[in-house]
Amino acid sequence: MVPTIGRPSLDVLLDALAAAPGPRPAELIVVDDRPTGEPLRPERPGLPPVRVVRTGGGGPARARNLGWRTARTEWIAFLDDDVVPDADWYQRLEHDLADLPADVAGSQGRVRVPLPDDRPPTDWERGTAGLATSSWITADLAYRRAALAAVGGFDERFPRAFREDSDLALRVMDTGARLVRGERWITHPVRPADRWISTRVQAGNADDVLMRRLHGPDWRDRADAALGRRPQHTAVTTAAVAALGFAAAGRPRAAALAAACWLAGTAEFAWARIASGPRTRDEVTTMLLTSAAIPPLATWHWLAGVVRHRGVRAWRGLPDLVLFDRDGTLVHDVPYNGDPQEVWPVDGAKEALDRLRARGVRVGVVSNQSGVARGLITRAQVEACMDRLAELLGPFDTVQYCPHGPEDGCTCRKPAPGMVKAACAELDVDPARCVVIGDIGADVEAATAAGAVGMLVPTSVTRDEELAASDWVLASVTEAVDVVLDGQW
């Protein structure tokens, strides 16, 4: 699975995968994370079957989530679009994943970052070289699909390619699973960057706040993430603010002392970056300019993270499956309907289903059809109406209906959990990762009995006691899907 924003490096990666010998995976999923643009054409001889899906621009966490939700294999191997796998990568991947114990949820590949031989590396090159020793980065990391589903995948509140992989690793390991290192290798070239790249990456300080809120004060030790210079940046920024404040207050000596502290801290930071580098005129100029800008930017982003992420809750992600009642929820209720021409979707149903599909969430139908037992309609008529439903609202991953009457004592008729359990079993979904949306209490009760989450979208037939008993009561299917896609379910 390769998330991409269409950089030229994607072609280099695909060429390497096409030319490499060894066993091919079931498919290659390329997730196009550009908001707009011409469709990507990654197919070329030598690649496994290729599928391209689009996020519309949601960031790397959302792109990876769409990729693994689209896949159906036991293992999902993530590669970034700016890496180059070794020629034996397929063979070593197969070897790395073969016969792993059930408690191993992921296998990380090994990363090399080529640096120049004829000069010391620049500040940006040294920073990129840190990827070679980083833990659990998804530049090359294979996860069991079940492990991703169990924790809701990547936390999409991490908006950039920073910390989202460490967060996922910690949540996976919190389930008792292990992550191991394999023997396959990739090369991660240093991307070209402009003078101000080091200032832009300071936005990651806000993500560090989110990590602390989610995983506690020891998260750095668990994620093998160094603290860096943020305390020094805070001190230097405080000195600069104090200098300005004292000057405004008419206290020149105090202002001069604070300014001296700021200058000393900035000079020390600049020299630490210059001393290890090539010391060319351009590099020295860049270090001087950015060393003055980085401390206040780092502090600003950290403070913004403190405000933005207060009261943050654990990530639940999206469910693996959303099941809908049919009559009264997806379509207008026509009692004991056997005529496909009487199947009329409710407002917003098609759009809601399409939004779930676009995020990789599977959808299905669970419907009581007691008219069969009562002799009012036939199974063929029920199935014809289900076919019409799919024609109007798009394909469903599972369709379950119960033909029994209330007196038959079956285990499938809602509020019994049989249909919900059968849908989950058919798609290999843990019921705890399933949501059921319906218009009466029986829909919610069936969900609860199966271990799923029930949501009620009331209509004129919904009773007051059913409303009072439901944890989730939403005004429409659209609103219910909003809640699901926000990860609040």
Side-chain angles (χ1 to χ4, degrees):
M1 203 293 290
V2 180
T4 185
I5 53 174
R7 296 182 289 195
S9 58
L10 174 65
D11 288 325
V12 179
L13 166 64
L14 296 175
D15 288 343
L17 290 174
R24 274 16 185 192
E27 64 178 337
L28 169 63
I29 298 175
V30 177
V31 183
D32 184 351
D33 196 38
R34 299 173 300 164
T36 59
E38 291 296 317
L40 295 175
R41 304 295 183 191
E43 301 87 353
R44 60 202 68 195
L47 287 178
V50 178
R51 183 163 26 153
V52 179
V53 293
R54 300 193 74 156
T55 64
R62 179 171 294 184
R64 293 192 186 103
N65 280 340
L66 179 57
W68 73 260
R69 290 185 181 281
T70 300
R72 296 291 177 260
T73 51
E74 178 186 3
W75 285 94
I76 313 293
F78 295 95
L79 284 173
D80 282 351
D81 72 348
D82 57 352
V83 305
V84 184
D86 280 11
D88 62 355
W89 187 83
Y90 286 127
Q91 296 158 323
R92 289 190 176 271
L93 174 65
E94 183 181 53
H95 181 268
D96 286 344
L97 301 184
D99 302 321
L100 284 176
D103 68 328
V104 173
S107 167
Q108 179 177 336
R110 299 179 183 270
V111 182
R112 70 173 69 87
V113 179
L115 296 176
D117 296 325
D118 58 340
R119 59 167 175 78
T122 64
D123 179 72
W124 174 240
E125 291 167 341
R126 292 194 303 274
T128 304
L131 295 173
T133 55
S134 296
S135 296
W136 321 130
I137 59 172
T138 43
D140 179 1
L141 205 157
Y143 273 107
R144 292 189 193 270
R145 191 185 189 283
L148 295 169
V151 299
F154 293 85
D155 189 333
E156 295 176 16
R157 294 170 297 187
F158 290 89
R160 65 200 114 250
F162 185 69
R163 301 299 190 213
E164 85 292 352
D165 41 17
S166 297
D167 165 75
L168 174 64
L170 293 185
R171 286 186 287 116
V172 169
M173 290 189 288
D174 283 344
T175 68
R178 292 189 294 130
L179 302 179
V180 299
R181 291 185 183 271
E183 296 301 323
R184 63 194 184 278
W185 282 88
I186 60 169
T187 297
H188 194 302
V190 180
R191 297 197 312 269
D194 61 51
R195 169 168 287 172
W196 303 105
I197 182 65
S198 60
T199 61
R200 292 195 296 275
V201 300
Q202 300 310 312
N205 283 280
D207 302 323
D208 285 349
V209 176
L210 180 55
M211 287 291 289
R212 182 183 176 91
R213 294 280 168 83
L214 293 171
H215 300 288
D218 65 339
W219 74 268
R220 290 186 182 276
D221 293 333
R222 298 173 58 211
D224 193 23
L227 175 60
R229 297 182 66 101
R230 191 182 57 75
Q232 294 95 314
H233 292 334
T234 302
V236 169
T237 303
T238 300
V241 172
L244 294 173
F246 286 135
R251 300 176 60 185
R253 290 186 179 180
L257 179 60
C261 291
W262 168 80
L263 182 60
T266 301
E268 183 276 330
F269 178 40
W271 176 246
R273 302 169 73 204
I274 291 169
S276 302
R279 305 189 197 180
T280 63
R281 175 178 295 181
D282 184 68
E283 176 74 359
V284 170
T285 301
T286 298
M287 294 301 98
L288 291 174
L289 292 172
T290 57
S291 294
I294 285 174
L297 285 171
T299 304
W300 168 260
H301 285 296
W302 177 76
L303 290 173
V306 169
V307 174
R308 183 183 311 131
H309 299 307
R310 65 187 184 278
V312 70
R313 295 184 298 176
W315 174 254
R316 192 169 189 185
L318 303 181
D320 289 345
L321 173 63
V322 178
L323 298 172
F324 293 85
D325 172 56
R326 192 189 79 177
D327 302 318
T329 303
L330 289 180
V331 300
H332 294 284
D333 188 9
V334 177
Y336 309 118
N337 180 35
D339 182 0
Q341 298 306 312
E342 293 297 318
V343 176
W344 294 103
V346 303
D347 291 343
K350 179 68 163 62
E351 294 78 7
L353 288 163
D354 285 345
R355 289 169 62 208
L356 290 168
R357 295 181 184 110
R359 296 286 294 277
V361 179
R362 287 178 279 185
V363 294
V365 177
V366 285
S367 178
N368 286 349
Q369 293 295 325
S370 65
V372 176
R374 301 173 196 270
L376 300 174
I377 53 176
T378 65
R379 283 180 178 265
Q381 287 176 306
V382 172
E383 290 166 6
C385 288
M386 291 297 187
D387 290 343
R388 177 62 173 166
L389 182 74
E391 179 184 337
L392 294 172
L393 297 182
F396 291 93
D397 296 281
T398 181
V399 174
Q400 309 284 333
Y401 72 89
C402 170
H404 305 112
E407 297 81 20
D408 290 341
C410 68
T411 60
C412 51
R413 178 178 169 81
K414 295 176 291 185
M419 285 190 288
V420 177
K421 288 184 174 180
C424 290
E426 178 185 344
L427 300 177
D428 193 24
V429 170
D430 182 346
R433 304 293 304 179
C434 173
V435 172
V436 180
I437 299 174
D439 67 325
I440 61 173
D443 299 311
V444 176
E445 292 173 37
T448 302
V453 173
M455 293 183 175
L456 192 65
V457 177
T459 63
S460 60
V461 302
T462 311
R463 302 194 303 270
D464 290 343
E465 56 267 32
E466 294 173 336
L467 294 172
S470 298
D471 293 332
W472 287 100
V473 178
L474 293 312
S476 65
V477 169
T478 298
E479 187 174 311
V481 169
D482 286 342
V483 170
V484 169
L485 293 180
D486 284 344
Q488 300 177 34
W489 57 284

